[in-house]
Amino acid sequence: MHHSIAILLFAQNAKKDALDKKKGWSSTLRQTTAVFELLTKRTLQTVRATHLPFFLSSDVGNDSESFGSQLASSVKEVFEKGFQSVICIGNDCPQLTLELLQKTSIHLQNGQSVVGPDNRGGAYLIGIQKEDFQAEIFENLSWQTAELRENLVQMLGRETQLLPIFSDINAEIDLHDWAKKAKSFGELLLSLLVQLSPAAVFQPIFTFAFSSTSYRLRPPPVLVS
């Protein structure tokens, strides 16, 4: 079956995430890394359930290029593979569901763009049509600021469809706030932060959740089967 829509999971590897965000976490590097590993795994499970082609860029945020430059390059490469629309997501929004990805796909099929806004003025999802993508403009949006959502809507046009506002997980307090509303998955994430010995905390969880981490690939985006 031919697909005109692809998903791009744009997220750096878990250890880089933990290092970049360490100021917002009181847990150890190993514990925080485990949280981001599990967030990525959950996101991949949700993406796979769509049965859409998807690509993964996991080593973002290096010193040689800006975040916007790397994201624009990755989106451009997906379009160059022949897709007409791209759904770009990160790994730090555990509220992202299969239903929302399916809803985004329908909007894109109808010629509409989509933004999933986060509670800080950014976005946890961007659904963009090839005809609306201009790499230079996209690269120079106000990435990682409170103005991003407004910038995206201005670039994509008035017909842009907005998804519900969700929280992303950038700091430990975000995880605790979200887990108060969540059940099993929130409890599992919080269990990674419990201050116990590594053997007690990590061995059973890694056996359960991280049996395979071979999906981490470097940009340019690589199709993940």
Side-chain angles (χ1 to χ4, degrees):
M1 179 178 178
H2 174 72
H3 291 283
S4 63
I5 301 171
I7 297 174
L8 171 65
L9 174 54
F10 193 74
Q12 56 191 3
N13 70 62
K15 189 170 184 179
K16 279 188 177 181
D17 255 338
L19 286 169
D20 286 351
K21 300 173 182 178
K22 62 182 179 181
K23 290 183 179 180
W25 296 80
S26 63
S27 53
T28 66
L29 177 61
R30 189 176 184 184
Q31 290 168 313
T32 310
T33 299
V35 168
F36 285 106
E37 284 271 15
L38 193 52
L39 284 168
T40 299
K41 184 177 179 67
R42 179 182 173 89
T43 304
L44 279 168
Q45 289 172 339
T46 303
V47 168
R48 286 192 173 100
T50 67
H51 301 294
L52 291 172
F54 67 95
F55 301 85
L56 175 62
S57 290
S58 64
D59 287 319
V60 301
N62 60 54
D63 295 332
S64 61
E65 290 183 291
S66 67
F67 177 90
S69 175
Q70 291 178 78
L71 179 56
S73 295
S74 293
V75 173
K76 181 181 178 182
E77 291 205 26
V78 176
F79 280 130
E80 288 175 345
K81 295 178 186 295
F83 296 97
Q84 298 304 305
S85 305
V86 173
I87 302 171
C88 185
I89 59 174
N91 66 337
D92 56 0
C93 182
Q95 293 171 282
L96 180 64
T97 63
L98 171 61
E99 290 72 24
L100 281 175
L101 289 175
Q102 291 172 331
K103 184 176 182 179
T104 299
S105 179
I106 291 171
H107 285 312
L108 291 170
Q109 289 172 9
N110 292 333
Q112 300 166 315
S113 297
V114 185
V115 172
D118 68 30
N119 63 339
R120 292 185 173 90
Y124 61 85
L125 179 150
I126 304 168
I128 186 169
Q129 309 283 354
K130 184 176 183 178
E131 61 191 31
D132 296 328
F133 179 71
Q134 299 181 56
E136 186 174 352
I137 294 176
F138 192 79
E139 173 183 340
N140 290 297
L141 294 177
S142 299
W143 297 105
Q144 301 173 308
T145 73
E147 288 75 44
L148 177 62
R149 177 175 58 193
E150 183 179 344
N151 285 177
L152 284 167
V153 173
Q154 289 176 347
M155 181 188 75
L156 297 173
R158 294 183 179 180
E159 296 301 316
T160 301
Q161 301 297 306
L162 296 178
L163 299 178
I165 297 175
F166 286 153
S167 301
D168 51 16
I169 307 297
N170 285 316
E172 191 169 324
I173 190 172
D174 299 327
L175 175 56
H176 283 273
D177 288 345
W178 172 76
K180 290 177 185 177
K181 307 171 186 177
K183 294 296 183 181
S184 58
F185 185 63
E187 292 168 356
L188 178 57
L189 286 177
L190 285 179
S191 74
L192 297 174
L193 303 181
V194 175
Q195 299 297 319
L196 299 174
S197 68
V201 175
F202 292 103
Q203 186 173 354
I205 294 174
F206 271 98
T207 301
F208 169 74
F210 308 135
S211 58
S212 174
T213 57
S214 61
Y215 52 77
R216 295 196 301 276
L217 305 172
R218 286 182 172 273
V222 177
L223 180 64
V224 182
S225 58

